[in-house]
Amino acid sequence: MTRGNPCQLPGMLSNYDPNDSEAGMKILEDLTENVEQIQQRVLEEIITRNARTDYLKGFLDGQFDKQVFKKTVPVVNYEDIKPYIERIANGDSSNIISAEPIIELLTSSGTSGGQPKMMPSTAEDLHRKTFFYNLLVPVMNKYVDGLDEGKAMYLLFVKPETKTPSGLMARPVLTSYYKSNNFKNRPFNRFNVYTSPDETILCSDSKQSMYCQLLCGLVQRQEVLRVGAVFASAFLRAIKFLEHNWKELCSNIRTGHVSDWITDPGCRKVVSLVLNKPKPELADLIEHECNSKSWEGIIKKLWPRTKYIEVIVTGSMAQYVSTLEYYSGGLPLVSTMYASSECYFGINFKPLSKPWDVSYTLIPNMAYFEFLPVKKKNEDGAQYVQCNGVCKENCMEKETEKEDVETVELVDVKLGQYYELVVTTFTGLYRYRVGDILMVTGFHNKAPQFRFVHRRNVVLSVDTDKTSEEDLLKAVTKAKVIVESLGILLIEYTSYADTSSIPGHYVLFWEITSKGNNHLPVLDHKIMEQCCSTVEESLDSVYRRCRRKDNSIGPLEIRVVQHGTFDALMDFCVSQGSSVNQYKTPRCIKSGEAINILDSRVVARFFSQKAPFWEPV
């Protein structure tokens, strides 16, 4: 394997003072100038460390060459590595897949068999994340002045966690980071001072955590320079929470006392210190703004010094952009980073770009990156018509199967081409298909920049849930049995994620008929509500957690449509360029026009009346 000259390259995890933006930008420039050499060194280090693990030993047979690695180690999905992860969760040694001890398992929002995926994590991985977070600061400082002259009102939350039989914690990646010493004992960084005390972020009661973080943010409103949450959906839930609770928040500010229902001792203590004393004038001001007929621009009114809103608005979160813009008062929407449970990937080097123009530069020392080329359908001779989620078959690209094509290295991707991301990490994932489809949009120095296009196979998403067409079919099939026992046939169905209200929810359009005739049957509310609940109970663990624990997804809805509705949908698709001969009903709709066609023919609506069962895995 070719080695770069170490004295010419930045350290694998260079130490620098995060208060020193110039040093941070220098590291980023070095990393993006030396992409090929750094990627070579990353792979060499991963192979050297882990060649004797049970997993790699069977493929490499003691060899350390990159070409041998790429020739013998297969490109894999989660199902391929799941048995190794489960062995570690059940008490086997980490060295099945990693020479470094695995200290916890990170639960992914992607699913397998109805349960979250589990990704290995090591102590060094936490340091890698801290290094990555610190690099975000100099990028923002390049575009926005004075970020060290105030605070950030970032609404951050922990999610449920559990212990595996081996004693390892299994929890979401951000919960892992917030509970780590890397976060709790982080050195002072004047650019990242939060209005939320750590105790409020680490509170496991999401309602108490939300209330206390908003209360602290309102009390310190004149110091707030930027606001945000990790996902757009989470930030909008906070705005909706504020709409429902501003009177009580104002009462707390007016009296200087936190509400009695805040029982978490850590929260009570730190919030009381922030409240300090009665502030009737501040309460009056907030009350005046919140009591107005329209909440358009409310963010800028309540936090007047705010320079931008930091939330992820790419991928499935793009559906929230218009709602965010309504509340923002013209503030920029900033997506700073691209990351997952498997690995932290890239940084947005132009953070003030519009949501639809956001691209991420992959940081070459985070992992070894490869790419599976993705073809558009028309490259195979078939007609390809994109029409916002409604087309002759579907609007997804054709992902090339792993055995059909060789991977492309980071430095060899081509401008304008589509790829699926494959990673080899320091934590025990080797040539792992992440499932993200990316498009190359440009380069920063020698580092490619990518726009996130979509998740492979995902058709529905409101929050961190990711429901595939197959998952949806299985759930609908179980509900279909209920109505079939009553002599009712489900002729056709489709779906969409309705995010017009917060929280958003899944909508299923059903066209049904009575057996033996073409008449719309008399519908029993209890039976149809049972169908809604059955669909929800049949969806995966992440969906059910978002519904029951996080309250980030609303009750599932079935809208029954009149006869001929799906014929009208087909007519619309054909008018948009689809082929009559090749048309099949899309299982998810994103086109506003298509949704209007379906909505105009709704004859009955039913909602799930109970949250589905969920408990930590």
Side-chain angles (χ1 to χ4, degrees), residues 259-514:
S259 296
D260 291 341
W261 66 272
I262 301 297
T263 56
D264 182 272
C267 284
R268 284 200 71 85
K269 181 179 179 180
V270 294
V271 173
S272 295
L273 292 173
V274 173
L275 277 175
N276 190 18
K277 62 181 180 181
K279 297 178 174 64
E281 291 183 1
L282 176 59
D284 289 344
L285 188 153
I286 295 169
E287 187 176 58
H288 172 75
E289 297 295 354
C290 291
N291 209 21
S292 62
K293 290 182 180 179
S294 170
W295 269 42
E296 186 173 1
I298 193 68
I299 302 299
K300 193 68 175 171
K301 293 173 183 176
L302 291 177
W303 294 280
R305 296 181 63 203
T306 302
K307 297 173 183 284
Y308 61 86
I309 299 174
E310 184 174 330
V311 286
I312 292 173
V313 289
T314 50
S316 64
M317 292 296 123
Q319 62 192 320
Y320 296 106
V321 168
S322 60
T323 310
L324 281 168
E325 289 176 338
Y326 173 81
Y327 289 120
S328 72
L331 293 168
L333 303 178
V334 171
S335 289
T336 58
M337 59 183 280
Y338 168 40
S340 76
S341 303
E342 293 88 344
C343 177
Y344 281 24
F345 302 126
I347 291 174
N348 180 4
F349 278 20
K350 295 181 179 178
L352 298 183
S353 56
K354 296 295 183 183
W356 49 87
D357 289 329
V358 169
S359 292
Y360 301 101
T361 303
L362 296 198
I363 306 303
N365 63 342
M366 289 292 105
Y368 178 67
F369 299 113
E370 298 175 81
F371 301 87
L372 286 169
V374 172
K375 294 180 181 179
K376 294 287 191 184
K377 286 187 178 179
N378 61 350
E379 291 181 17
D380 290 338
Q383 290 183 332
Y384 175 83
V385 182
Q386 185 166 8
C387 49
N388 275 337
V390 181
C391 59
K392 59 172 181 56
E393 292 182 285
N394 60 49
C395 288
M396 308 291 279
E397 290 80 7
K398 177 185 176 183
E399 289 111 27
T400 351
E401 293 299 325
K402 58 188 177 185
E403 63 266 23
D404 289 341
V405 68
E406 291 186 0
T407 58
V408 175
E409 296 195 20
L410 182 60
V411 293
D412 294 325
V413 296
K414 304 299 182 185
L415 187 66
Q417 296 299 303
Y418 292 80
Y419 299 92
E420 181 184 348
L421 179 60
V422 175
V423 295
T424 296
T425 70
F426 290 91
T427 58
L429 298 177
Y430 307 101
R431 310 197 80 194
Y432 177 81
R433 296 177 71 171
V434 174
D436 291 351
I437 307 301
L438 311 175
M439 186 185 81
V440 184
T441 58
F443 295 84
H444 181 88
N445 295 328
K446 296 175 182 176
Q449 297 175 307
F450 297 87
R451 179 173 302 141
F452 181 94
V453 179
H454 60 73
R455 285 283 297 173
R456 178 162 50 97
N457 299 330
V458 170
V459 295
L460 284 174
S461 180
V462 167
D463 190 50
T464 55
D465 54 301
K466 295 178 175 70
T467 299
S468 70
E469 184 173 325
E470 182 182 11
D471 295 335
L472 185 62
L473 174 60
K474 288 177 181 176
V476 170
T477 300
K478 289 185 179 180
K480 178 179 161 186
V481 172
I482 298 171
V483 293
E484 283 181 342
S485 67
L486 303 175
I488 296 172
L489 294 176
L490 174 59
I491 299 172
E492 195 57 275
Y493 76 93
T494 189
S495 65
Y496 87 106
D498 185 348
T499 56
S500 61
S501 60
I502 303 299
H505 69 288
Y506 286 13
V507 174
L508 301 182
F509 292 99
W510 279 20
E511 185 173 331
I512 59 179
T513 188
S514 296

Side-chain angles (χ1 to χ4, degrees), residues 550-590:
D550 301 347
N551 297 314
S552 59
I553 299 178
L556 181 137
E557 177 184 6
I558 292 177
R559 298 179 188 172
V560 177
V561 296
Q562 64 192 35
H563 284 296
T565 296
F566 281 84
D567 291 336
L569 178 63
M570 183 181 73
D571 291 342
F572 170 74
C573 293
V574 171
S575 74
Q576 299 297 301
S578 298
S579 164
V580 176
N581 295 327
Q582 294 178 305
Y583 175 83
K584 61 182 180 182
T585 302
R587 293 305 173 210
C588 178
I589 301 291
K590 292 183 174 65

Side-chain angles (χ1 to χ4, degrees), residues 115-130:
Q115 301 296 353
K117 298 174 185 176
M118 293 188 293
M119 301 297 168
S121 182
T122 64
E124 183 195 53
D125 198 38
L126 285 167
H127 300 316
R128 188 168 285 104
K129 290 182 174 77
T130 300

